[in-house]
């Protein structure tokens, strides 16, 4: 099947326009994403608070250990080393857990505001873009690529045969 480049591009713009989300849909998506993001942040804050409590308990244990060994002389060096090593391991574990619990600070609302502006006007954005910008947009809109069988756009994995003229 042969189809002109201009016609193929026109059909692609029509397909983008057909797929553009409505403002209501975008508001719904934004609300759900912000809600989920806030829940993640709340959970992360709670995990970090628990980790900080554990770290404080470890520091207090080390202080008592130092007191018993250095000042009261109620424990020997082997006991001190064994407990100090255990506390150091626990402290490293807490730091690692805290690091993995901290969420990357992202401007989720800013990203969503950008998506609200771009996605509902994807076809206009495509028409106004340079060739290089279109290549990048195509990767965003359809990372698997787009295929056309001469009548309709195909899902990834469906076979197609066409050429442009």
């Amino acid at each position: 099947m042969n189809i002109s480049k201009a016609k193929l591009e026109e059909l692609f713009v029509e397909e983008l326009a057909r797929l553009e989300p409505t403002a209501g849909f975008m508001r719904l998506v934004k609300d759900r994403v912000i809600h989920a993001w806030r829940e993640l942040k709340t959970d992360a804050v709670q995990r970090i608070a628990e980790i900080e409590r554990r770290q404080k308990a470890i520091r207090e244990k080390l202080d008592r250990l130092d007191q018993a060994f250095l000042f009261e002389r109620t424990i020997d060096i082997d006991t001190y080393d064994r407990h100090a090593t255990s506390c150091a391991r626990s402290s490293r574990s807490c730091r690692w857990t805290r690091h993995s619990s901290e969420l990357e600070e992202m401007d989720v609302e800013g990203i969503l505001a950008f998506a609200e502006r771009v996605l509902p006007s994807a076809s206009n954005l495509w028409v106004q873009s340079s060739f290089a910008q279109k290549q990048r947009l195509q990767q965003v809109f359809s990372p698997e690529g787009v295929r056309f069988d001469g009548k309709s756009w195909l899902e990834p994995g469906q076979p197609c045969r066409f050429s442009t003229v």
Side-chain angles (χ1 to χ4, degrees):
M1 148 161 276
N2 290 329
I3 187 168
S4 72
K5 180 181 178 288
K7 181 64 177 172
L8 184 63
E9 180 126 0
E10 176 188 326
L11 292 170
F12 183 68
V13 169
E14 288 174 8
E15 182 70 4
L16 282 177
R18 187 184 70 76
L19 295 173
E20 289 172 352
T22 64
F25 179 78
M26 289 304 299
R27 275 192 307 277
L28 178 65
V29 168
K30 180 180 178 181
D31 290 347
R32 295 306 309 149
V33 169
I34 288 173
H35 177 75
W37 177 248
R38 288 182 179 148
E39 282 182 359
L40 282 173
K41 284 179 77 169
T42 299
D43 291 346
V45 166
Q46 290 171 347
R47 283 191 309 273
I48 289 169
E50 175 58 32
I51 292 165
E52 287 173 349
R53 284 190 288 279
R54 287 192 348 235
Q55 286 176 316
K56 182 180 178 193
I58 292 167
R59 282 191 304 274
E60 289 171 351
K61 186 176 181 180
L62 273 171
D63 290 344
R64 288 192 310 274
L65 192 60
D66 287 344
Q67 181 73 25
F69 178 70
L70 296 172
F71 303 112
E72 298 168 4
R73 302 208 183 264
T74 55
I75 60 172
D76 62 24
I77 187 72
D78 292 333
T79 303
Y80 177 85
D81 285 343
R82 189 173 64 249
H83 286 286
T85 300
S86 173
C87 286
R89 252 181 287 174
S90 295
S91 182
R92 280 192 304 273
S93 174
C94 282
R95 281 193 306 273
W96 176 253
T97 303
R98 180 186 175 127
H99 177 71
S100 65
S101 295
E102 291 173 336
L103 293 175
E104 200 175 308
E105 280 301 314
M106 292 190 333
D107 181 10
V108 171
E109 292 183 15
I111 293 167
L112 289 170
F114 177 75
E116 275 185 305
R117 284 190 310 273
V118 170
L119 294 179
S121 61
S123 59
N124 289 334
L125 182 63
W126 180 270
V127 170
Q128 296 171 14
S129 294
S130 69
F131 179 73
Q133 291 168 330
K134 286 178 180 179
Q135 288 179 317
R136 288 193 298 271
L137 285 171
Q138 186 175 336
Q139 283 297 311
V140 169
F141 295 144
S142 184
E144 305 88 22
V146 293
R147 297 180 340 185
F148 185 72
D149 69 0
K151 295 182 181 137
S152 61
W153 296 97
L154 303 172
E155 295 292 323
Q158 286 182 294
C160 109
R161 291 179 177 79
F162 77 92
S163 65
T164 58
V165 289

